[in-house]
Amino acid sequence: MHEPATGPLASLIAARLAAALAPSQLQVVNDSAQHRGHLGDDGTGESHFTVIVESAAFAGLNRVARQRLVNKALADLLATRIHALAIRATAPGEA
């Protein structure tokens, strides 16, 4: 597992998800270094992320519905600043 991301965009992602989902666990991982020079690399070092989030808001929802909640919280960032986002979303008590 990578170290948690700490850049300005990663911090904004974490703040948005915290506000929208009240997560019991949240980790934002910056995967951008693995994609340096690839399509979508804007040179900022913050273009590709993985979010690992556990929230009661996901209880009873399927994977697609959970991803939609994450995408909704980050919609403007996905349209302008985030090139790729991997999502691992679970409800409390799930593996």
Side-chain angles (χ1 to χ4, degrees):
M1 180 67 57
H2 301 282
E3 291 298 315
T6 56
L9 183 53
S11 296
L12 184 56
I13 292 168
R16 292 274 187 90
L17 293 177
L21 301 171
S24 47
Q25 293 184 32
L26 175 61
Q27 184 178 13
V28 178
V29 179
N30 186 342
D31 300 321
S32 301
Q34 298 170 15
H35 302 278
R36 191 170 289 127
H38 297 172
L39 181 65
D41 175 20
D42 61 6
T44 66
E46 288 194 290
S47 57
H48 296 69
F49 294 91
T50 297
V51 240
I52 303 162
V53 56
E54 176 184 276
S55 173
F58 298 139
L61 299 179
N62 65 28
R63 180 182 57 82
V64 173
R66 292 172 182 197
Q67 290 181 351
R68 285 182 179 145
L69 286 178
V70 171
N71 289 342
K72 181 179 177 183
L74 304 175
D76 64 315
L77 299 176
L78 286 165
T80 60
R81 299 177 63 190
I82 300 171
H83 176 71
L85 182 68
I87 301 168
R88 294 183 209 155
T90 57
E94 294 179 347

